[in-house]
Amino acid sequence: MSQSTTRLSKPPHQLLEGLFAFSPNRDTLGGTAYLIVEETGNILVDCPLWDEQTQGFLEQQGGVRSLFITHRGALSSSLKLLQTSLKCEIIIQEQEAYLLPELTVTSFAQEIALGSNLTGIWTPGHSPGSSCVYWNHHGGILFTGRHLLPDNQGKLTPLRLAKTFHWFRQVHSVAKLCDRFTPETLAYVCPGANTGFLRGKGLINDAYQQLSALDLEQLRQTPIGL
């Protein structure tokens, strides 16, 4: 365990069958990590706060086969310890892989199969290697990191921030997701931050309807936020 950790994290919250959300991690600026429980091996999406409780929970669930990093802001200072403890593969888009020179990682370009039911998708814009994970269970769930987030009303949207790498690429990535999915294949979004705006729901319902309702041309004119 990290010696800097003095308080145990809260237990993960079960959102749906086989899907758990961890409490926001102060080590990743309030990022939310998720555990997807699969027969072929569990997938951790981004880094939860690493402590005894987190490790014990993951071991109880059968361990972690792969840790998928959605963007550079989700890289925890405990990442090396996490990989050593769980003996898991780290998957990250190739334009962010250089940030982990001391770790063994699997990088990808456009897409990567994480199993028969899971796909990693490159969605650049928020950061060069920003990526999403799609799980085809429960009507389809997209784990969006900070590519798509709830606004202060809980509505799904990309947010243009001072640290946004390339806003137009991000909007283009949103358009590609609109083209890729349908109401039948995308029911939920699990965002990688701002989950407090979901007011206890834990995930965004009617995900495709909200995604397809975005005015992409208006978004392109969005000024930079904080």
Side-chain angles (χ1 to χ4, degrees):
M1 296 296 98
S2 171
Q3 295 181 355
S4 63
T5 300
T6 58
R7 297 178 59 189
L8 293 179
S9 58
K10 295 179 181 179
H13 175 58
Q14 184 168 6
L15 302 178
L16 296 166
E17 182 180 358
L19 175 59
F20 296 86
F22 293 85
S23 297
N25 183 0
R26 60 180 177 269
D27 195 30
T28 57
L29 301 178
T32 296
Y34 299 89
L35 179 70
I36 303 169
V37 179
E38 281 271 286
E39 290 184 0
T40 56
N42 299 338
I43 305 295
L44 191 59
V45 180
D46 291 334
C47 298
L49 179 65
W50 188 245
D51 60 13
E52 293 177 2
Q53 181 153 289
T54 298
Q55 183 173 355
F57 170 79
L58 292 173
E59 290 174 349
Q60 290 171 9
Q61 296 300 318
V64 173
R65 173 169 57 87
S66 300
L67 166 59
F68 187 97
I69 302 295
T70 61
H71 65 292
R72 60 184 61 194
L75 295 173
S76 167
S77 60
S78 300
L79 186 55
K80 184 175 182 178
L81 179 59
L82 191 155
Q83 184 181 44
T84 301
S85 301
L86 296 174
K87 298 178 175 59
C88 64
E89 171 188 35
I90 294 176
I91 301 174
I92 190 168
Q93 206 276 337
E94 62 185 12
Q95 295 192 59
E96 317 244 296
Y98 77 94
L99 296 168
L100 301 174
E102 298 180 356
L103 299 179
T104 300
V105 303
T106 298
S107 63
F108 69 99
Q110 298 289 332
E111 294 188 12
I112 185 169
L114 308 176
S116 59
N117 303 311
L118 287 150
T119 305
I121 307 166
W122 181 40
T123 51
H126 171 75
S127 69
S130 178
S131 304
C132 297
V133 174
Y134 176 68
W135 189 32
N136 68 1
H137 283 202
H138 302 293
I141 305 175
L142 192 66
F143 301 82
T144 56
R146 283 185 166 91
H147 173 56
L148 289 163
L149 294 172
D151 62 15
N152 57 13
Q153 300 300 313
K155 297 296 185 181
L156 183 67
T157 189
L159 295 177
R160 189 176 189 183
L161 307 173
K163 293 184 178 180
T164 298
F165 165 65
H166 198 295
W167 178 241
F168 290 159
R169 289 188 190 179
Q170 187 169 351
V171 174
H172 180 65
S173 294
V174 173
K176 291 180 70 174
L177 290 177
C178 289
D179 292 340
R180 182 184 187 114
F181 296 111
T182 67
E184 292 72 35
T185 60
L186 184 59
Y188 302 102
V189 157
C190 288
N194 287 15
T195 50
F197 290 141
L198 299 180
R199 294 167 177 83
K201 291 192 299 182
L203 39 68
I204 297 175
N205 301 323
D206 302 320
Y208 181 79
Q209 286 79 0
Q210 292 197 41
L211 184 64
S212 61
L214 292 171
D215 186 333
L216 300 183
E217 188 54 42
Q218 184 178 11
L219 281 173
R220 289 186 178 93
Q221 309 307 316
T222 302
I224 297 174
L226 298 178

